Amino acid sequence: METFAESKSGIALFLPEDYDIIWSTVILIVVAIFFYKFFLPKFQAIFDERAAKIEGGIAKAEKAQADADAAKKKYEDQLNTARVDAAKIRDDARTEASHIIADARTKAEADAAQITANAQKSIESQQQQALVSLKGEVGALATALAGKILGSKLSDADVQSSMIDSMIDGIDKDPAGKAK
Amino acid sequence: MAGVAAFTGAAGAVLAAQSGPEIPSIDEFLPPEIIFAGTPFAMNRIIMVRVIMTVVMLLILGITASRAKLIPGRWQGFVEWGLDYVRDKIVYEVMGELRGKRYVPMITTIFFTIFLFNLCGIIPGMNIAATATIMMPLIFAAWTFVQYWIAACREQGLLSYLKQECTPPGVPFPVLILLVPMQLIDILIIRPASLTLRLLANMIAGHLIVALCFSATQFFLILTENKMMMAAGVVTFAFGFIMTLFEAFVAYLQAFIFATLSSVYINMSYPEVD
Amino acid sequence: MDLITLAEVTGNLSAIGYGLAAIGPGIGVGIVFGKAIEATARQPELGGRIQTLMWIGFGLIEFLALLGFISGFIFTA
């Protein structure tokens, strides 16, 4: 069996030879320069370019989305306007209709009132006429009746007319109270 | 474990041409100089492996990078996944995106280099990790060391950093007598030393285990004349195979730990915000 | 092996030393990772911070095992 005493001392493992130092340093510097100056910048450029491409694609998609959104908004706005217009038109029509109805009603009422008033007036005038003619006829009738009863005693014209008037007043008062 | 037990049991019994399998020793990590011997640019086996691996790595990654396209192919996707992994799962996870951005190249360099150098340990023909001499881990650790002191001086000033590290709030005075030297040793020696030694020790131990298994396999299957030993050879071979796969995992794990701890140490140099 | 020596152990005592030295850090590392998992399970939103602290503790504890590893090589004489 070999022992460490026969081979080189184990501590030699941890004591660097000078050529080891030189070669390790050279290799590290070469590798570091390679990575710092060539390898990583190259790949970084590729990563950046790829990211830019992807972001460009995303931006494009976002623009398309925005366009679609704008179009949708426009369409919806138009729809809303149309809806509002329709509602307005309907309201207008309703108001107008109610106006027309109200006008017609007012006019009809006015007409009816006039007709009623006219009828009232003609009734009143006819009543007046009837009253006047009745007054005359009742006077004549009463005069004739009284003449027949009293004979010629009441031939004096003055007495005759005053008596008729007082009589008619009495009649007039009585039926008016009863008619109401 | 069964393989090792069989091997130790068998080793005493066998009286073949060789008295036992060749036990790998730490001499494997202190190989003789083979090129430019005696000059400061001498190379031994491990340094040869290291230089070759560096060239291969730079070629492969360089070609990948120069042919990189916007829409990645399979291989490029794999490399990019590695880059993303280091950036998101190591640097940003520990430091956050704001602080981490500056250190992404450094940690990426450390992770990729250590991982590929570790993998040399199981690549046939190389068979020794390029990080298996003290200087390679040490120089990575020194880089981290320098970076976290620079970060400390830049972000909050040296005194403020020492105060933050050595005297945590709420510690009573008598404890500080113990704590201050301990923390000083920690930030000055233990951090870089532990980074170095962890990587080195893992590579040495992993190589020794794999080499032991395969040298035992060779001994049992080829060198010994006792055919009863074949079964033990199969067991040691299977064990060696499993350990080789395990070494691949350790290669990744050590690279991950080194990169994560580097980020953690640099992050601790920043003033604490809660 | 001669007649007087009844039992012989070959090899290096450092191996046993390292075995002993690995016990403490082994337990410590186990506790660190176990507690970190437990803590992350309780407060998943603090996972990043817990992981950072876990690595700091792991680094300190692991250093003891590494000290054991190197002392086997250094104190051989």
Side-chain angles (χ1 to χ4, degrees):
Chain A
M1 283 258 178
E2 263 184 334
T3 60
F4 291 117
E6 285 163 15
S7 63
K8 288 171 199 162
S9 171
I11 201 167
L13 274 182
F14 306 104
L15 298 177
E17 307 276 352
D18 46 2
Y19 59 82
D20 193 8
I21 298 176
I22 288 173
W23 282 113
S24 302
T25 317
V26 166
I27 284 176
L28 178 75
I29 290 171
V30 168
V31 167
I33 288 175
F34 170 76
F35 270 91
Y36 269 78
K37 295 291 173 203
F38 176 66
F39 187 67
L40 289 170
K42 181 95 186 164
F43 270 96
Q44 196 55 50
I46 286 192
F47 287 156
D48 287 348
E49 196 182 340
R50 193 175 297 157
K53 269 261 164 77
I54 291 170
E55 267 167 20
I58 289 173
K60 205 186 247 176
E62 269 173 1
K63 192 170 174 296
Q65 184 72 41
D67 284 354
D69 281 351
K72 196 181 168 205
K73 193 165 178 326
K74 200 174 154 200
Y75 166 74
E76 273 177 358
D77 281 354
Q78 280 176 350
L79 200 67
N80 270 343
T81 322
R83 204 170 278 154
V84 169
D85 282 355
K88 200 171 160 227
I89 290 168
R90 199 156 56 225
D91 280 354
D92 284 356
R94 200 170 282 151
T95 341
E96 213 166 316
S98 64
H99 272 301
I100 291 169
I101 290 171
D103 281 357
R105 186 173 293 148
T106 325
K107 206 175 162 197
E109 272 170 5
D111 283 356
Q114 199 160 4
I115 290 166
T116 317
N118 285 348
Q120 201 75 38
K121 231 177 242 171
S122 75
I123 288 169
E124 268 172 19
S125 69
Q126 278 175 10
Q127 193 180 10
Q128 202 67 38
Q129 246 174 345
L131 208 61
V132 169
S133 69
L134 194 62
K135 207 190 265 179
E137 269 178 44
V138 168
L141 204 60
T143 312
L145 199 58
K148 272 177 192 167
I149 295 168
L150 297 179
S152 53
K153 280 185 182 173
L154 292 182
S155 54
D156 186 12
D158 285 343
V159 177
Q160 200 176 358
S161 76
S162 71
M163 204 180 76
I164 288 168
D165 280 343
S166 65
M167 215 172 111
I168 285 171
D169 277 348
I171 291 168
D172 222 9
K173 264 176 198 164
D174 227 18
K178 268 179 190 165
K180 290 273 160 153
Chain B
M1 285 302 132
V4 178
F7 147 68
T8 44
V14 174
L15 289 170
Q18 243 178 314
S19 62
E22 195 187 330
I23 309 281
S25 75
I26 56 161
D27 285 346
E28 306 236 348
F29 301 95
L30 301 164
E33 303 162 14
I34 45 178
I35 307 179
F36 310 129
T39 66
F41 295 99
M43 286 171 125
N44 60 25
R45 194 169 101 74
I46 298 178
I47 292 180
M48 286 283 284
V49 166
R50 191 180 295 165
V51 172
I52 293 169
M53 194 62 202
T54 310
V55 172
V56 169
M57 179 174 87
L58 294 195
L59 273 180
I60 292 178
L61 293 183
I63 290 172
T64 310
S66 59
R67 286 188 186 166
K69 291 192 235 28
L70 196 58
I71 296 150
R74 206 168 282 183
W75 169 249
Q76 194 194 333
F78 180 70
V79 173
E80 282 179 10
W81 174 78
L83 289 173
D84 280 350
Y85 176 79
V86 175
R87 195 187 56 198
D88 294 340
K89 290 283 171 344
I90 298 179
V91 185
Y92 288 176
E93 174 84 23
V94 173
M95 308 173 83
E97 193 165 342
L98 201 65
R99 291 177 185 177
K101 228 174 185 75
R102 177 197 290 263
Y103 294 103
V104 168
M106 174 195 173
I107 304 295
T108 311
T109 311
I110 287 181
F111 181 86
F112 272 67
T113 315
I114 291 182
F115 177 58
L116 291 173
F117 280 9
N118 288 353
L119 271 187
C120 294
I122 57 166
I123 292 175
M126 292 182 169
N127 277 338
I128 193 151
T131 39
T133 63
I134 180 100
M135 259 328 276
M136 204 67 224
L138 184 59
I139 199 146
F140 282 120
W143 192 12
T144 304
F145 181 79
V146 169
Q147 283 285 353
Y148 77 70
W149 279 100
I150 289 176
C153 294
R154 189 187 59 226
E155 294 298 329
Q156 53 175 338
L158 195 56
L159 286 177
S160 166
Y161 172 63
L162 289 177
K163 184 169 174 296
Q164 177 189 314
E165 283 295 317
C166 297
T167 58
V171 176
F173 173 71
V175 184
L176 283 181
I177 299 172
L178 269 175
L179 194 67
V180 171
M182 266 181 60
Q183 289 291 336
L184 277 178
I185 293 173
D186 181 34
I187 55 179
L188 283 172
I189 299 171
I190 292 185
R191 284 184 189 176
S194 71
L195 282 177
T196 311
L197 292 175
R198 179 180 305 110
L199 183 53
L200 179 68
N202 271 284
M203 289 306 113
I204 290 178
H207 174 76
L208 288 180
I209 290 174
V210 173
L212 181 67
C213 289
F214 285 129
S215 99
T217 307
Q218 192 200 14
F219 173 74
F220 286 134
L221 291 185
I222 299 163
L223 296 179
T224 180
E225 283 154 12
N226 188 345
K227 296 301 168 202
M228 295 294 286
M229 290 295 120
M230 290 285 193
V234 171
V235 173
T236 55
F237 179 76
F239 193 66
F241 186 74
I242 292 168
M243 286 315 292
T244 305
L245 296 182
F246 184 66
E247 275 309 292
F249 171 67
V250 166
Y252 150 75
L253 188 69
Q254 290 307 317
F256 172 79
I257 290 178
F258 202 110
T260 304
L261 278 173
S262 289
S263 323
V264 168
Y265 292 154
I266 292 171
N267 191 39
M268 284 171 79
S269 292
Y270 280 75
E272 277 182 39
V273 278
D274 280 315
Chain C
M1 206 182 278
D2 52 39
L3 286 174
I4 298 164
T5 315
L6 295 177
E8 187 188 49
V9 177
T10 57
N12 201 315
L13 204 57
S14 325
I16 296 176
Y18 179 67
L20 291 175
I23 295 175
I27 295 172
V29 169
I31 289 176
V32 164
F33 279 91
K35 289 288 179 189
I37 292 167
E38 204 174 288
T40 312
R42 287 185 189 198
Q43 307 255 302
E45 69 277 8
L46 290 180
R49 183 146 176 75
I50 290 169
Q51 211 180 27
T52 307
L53 291 172
M54 176 188 85
W55 285 117
I56 295 169
F58 167 79
L60 279 175
I61 295 166
E62 178 86 339
F63 189 68
L64 294 175
L66 296 170
L67 271 183
F69 179 83
I70 60 167
S71 22
F73 290 107
I74 290 175
F75 305 117
T76 45

